[in-house]
């Protein structure tokens, strides 16, 4: 498995991470098979959030991987917090600290490798976030910190107060859902793709050595469904299929390779619960699309080049 730097953390992580959002939806034996396959493939980075299954996913993960000191040494654990009870976000110092204690208990570990703030909080007080991160860092409960679904300006505001470098921003991204690429390609245009929805977060993260982690890499909208095999995207499907045949791989691997081809060195978060599909996704780490092929898929997805 190809490995990439995780921001300014100084550590290398696999280019494909295992997202555990749905791990509590399967039986423990299937969860065990998924995690065993992940480790065999070199995918030892596991992404969680305390909101996933209201904590049940973290508990199921710890059971399925048979957490122990020897197992813990082999894996990289990331979790997210900041979505409070009910319909609200909460990045207060108290909530962050209590959330991490709960996460550690459910994962049966003494520390997280990475903690992300799950969503931007309109009532965020960055001084409180900084205090919480300091406490967690000094206590050894969290090694590195980052964010999820944040604009560049929101990251700048946090980084003004937070002492530790923010090493990752987890963002939705796929061939079809690629507005953070479109705004650069359609700069100075009056097109829909030129609308800046994220504050130029792609260039910002590259400039500041923040790793972009891509969630829903096979979706075409916010929980709208997948584009692979979808008649809405027949031209894209045909183009992906031709490349899959050329490289002797699968459509899933080609779609994932499109993301990993970007020079930003993104980390793809694979949310599958099927070992066979995880194997397909991981093939993308060894598949280097040409420039022509990358742009062909971009255009086939319905985007434009001025």
């Amino acid at each position: 498995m190809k490995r990439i730097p995780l921001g300014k953390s100084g550590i290398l992580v696999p280019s494909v991470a295992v997202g555990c959002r749905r791990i509590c939806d399967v039986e423990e034996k299937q969860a065990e098979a998924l995690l065993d396959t992940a480790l065999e493939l070199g995918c030892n980075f596991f992404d969680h959030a305390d909101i996933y299954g209201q904590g049940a996913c973290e508990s199921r993960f710890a059971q399925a991987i048979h957490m122990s000191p020897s197992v813990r040494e082999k894996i990289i654990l990331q979790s997210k917090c900041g979505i409070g009870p009910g319909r609200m976000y909460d990045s207060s110092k108290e909530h962050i600290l209590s959330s991490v204690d709960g996460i550690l208990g459910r994962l049966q570990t003494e520390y997280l490798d990475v903690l992300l703030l799950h969503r931007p909080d309109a009532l965020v007080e960055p001084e409180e976030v900084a205090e919480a991160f300091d406490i967690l860092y000094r206590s050894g409960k969290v090694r590195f910190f980052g964010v999820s679904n944040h604009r560049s300006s929101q990251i700048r505001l946090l980084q003004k107060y937070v002492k530790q470098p923010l090493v990752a921003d987890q963002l939705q991204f796929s061939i079809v859902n690629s507005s953070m690429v479109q705004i650069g390609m359609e700069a100075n245009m009056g097109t829909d793709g030129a609308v800046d929805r994220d504050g130029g977060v792609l260039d910002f993260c590259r400039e500041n050595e923040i790793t972009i982690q891509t969630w829903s890499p096979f979706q075409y909208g916010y929980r709208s469904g997948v584009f692979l095999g979808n008649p809405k995207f027949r031209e894209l499907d045909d183009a992906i299929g031709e490349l899959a045949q050329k490289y002797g791989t699968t459509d899933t691997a080609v779609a994932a390779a499109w993301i990993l081809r970007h020079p930003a060195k993104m980390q793809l978060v694979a949310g599958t619960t099927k070992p066979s599909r995880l194997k397909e996704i991981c093939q993308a780490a060894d598949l280097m699309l040409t420039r022509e092929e990358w742009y062909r898929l971009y255009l086939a997805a319905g985007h434009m080049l001025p």
Side-chain angles (χ1 to χ4, degrees):
M1 170 59 63
K2 181 176 70 175
R3 304 185 84 79
I4 59 173
L6 181 67
K8 296 179 180 178
S9 69
I11 65 172
L12 297 176
V13 297
S15 57
V16 175
V18 180
C20 299
R21 183 174 180 269
R22 296 186 293 149
I23 198 169
C24 64
D25 294 341
V26 300
E27 297 295 329
E28 188 166 338
K29 288 297 183 182
Q30 185 176 338
E32 289 177 351
L34 174 70
L35 300 180
D36 287 345
T37 300
L39 293 176
E40 290 171 5
L41 294 169
C43 291
N44 66 333
F45 189 107
F46 300 95
D47 174 68
H48 295 270
D50 59 357
I51 198 68
Y52 295 165
Q54 302 300 319
C57 291
E58 291 168 330
S59 298
R60 168 58 60 84
F61 173 87
Q63 296 166 359
I65 205 167
H66 304 289
M67 188 67 78
S68 67
S70 60
V71 170
R72 183 66 184 92
E73 290 177 1
K74 301 175 184 177
I75 62 177
I76 301 171
L77 286 178
Q78 171 175 284
S79 194
K80 301 181 283 293
C81 72
I83 299 180
R87 299 286 295 176
M88 61 175 284
Y89 298 147
D90 189 347
S91 57
S92 66
K93 173 183 173 182
E94 292 76 12
H95 184 79
I96 293 172
L97 295 177
S98 63
S99 294
V100 169
D101 285 341
I103 291 167
L104 296 179
R106 290 187 294 272
L107 287 175
Q108 299 178 29
T109 182
E110 295 181 352
Y111 70 96
L112 283 176
D113 294 286
V114 189
L115 174 70
L116 306 182
L117 295 183
H118 204 156
R119 286 278 178 181
D121 177 9
L123 304 180
V124 64
E125 297 185 49
E127 300 92 339
E128 283 200 22
V129 174
E131 289 180 24
F133 283 7
D134 279 345
I135 292 170
L136 293 170
Y137 182 77
R138 290 198 305 267
S139 66
K141 292 181 178 180
V142 179
R143 298 176 64 198
F144 306 107
F145 301 88
V147 294
S148 178
N149 305 298
H150 278 58
R151 292 169 56 89
S152 57
S153 56
Q154 293 165 330
I155 299 174
R156 277 196 299 268
L157 177 62
L158 286 172
Q159 195 67 87
K160 177 181 177 181
Y161 297 90
V162 172
K163 297 176 184 176
Q164 300 80 13
L166 299 174
V167 300
D169 188 7
Q170 194 168 119
L171 299 160
Q172 185 173 10
F173 186 65
S174 71
I175 302 175
V176 177
N177 191 356
S178 54
S179 61
M180 63 181 171
V181 167
Q182 285 178 266
I183 63 169
M185 305 280 248
E186 299 177 39
N188 197 38
M189 299 287 292
T191 55
D192 289 343
V195 177
D196 185 352
R197 294 177 171 84
D198 54 36
V201 72
L202 174 57
D203 290 341
F204 175 84
C205 286
R206 294 183 72 181
E207 180 183 0
N208 291 276
E209 299 179 59
I210 297 171
T211 297
I212 291 176
Q213 300 175 332
T214 67
W215 61 269
S216 289
F218 308 106
Q219 298 277 327
Y220 65 87
Y222 181 65
R223 299 182 180 177
S224 300
V226 298
F227 56 81
L228 292 173
N230 190 323
K232 291 182 179 180
F233 302 98
R234 193 173 305 280
E235 182 181 353
L236 176 60
D237 245 18
D238 290 345
I240 289 175
E242 289 178 18
L243 290 177
Q245 185 174 11
K246 172 184 175 181
Y247 287 108
T249 187
T250 66
D251 292 4
T252 297
V254 172
W258 185 88
I259 293 173
L260 299 183
R261 173 63 176 83
H262 197 281
K265 296 183 175 61
M266 302 178 188
Q267 184 183 38
L268 183 149
V269 181
T272 184
T273 57
K274 298 179 180 179
S276 59
R277 185 166 170 81
L278 181 61
K279 289 179 180 179
E280 292 180 31
I281 296 170
C282 287
Q283 290 176 17
D286 299 317
L287 175 55
M288 183 72 166
L289 298 178
T290 67
R291 281 178 173 268
E292 182 181 2
E293 290 165 346
W294 190 93
Y295 276 106
R296 180 188 175 193
L297 295 182
Y298 182 79
L299 291 169
H303 307 309
M304 67 167 291
L305 292 179

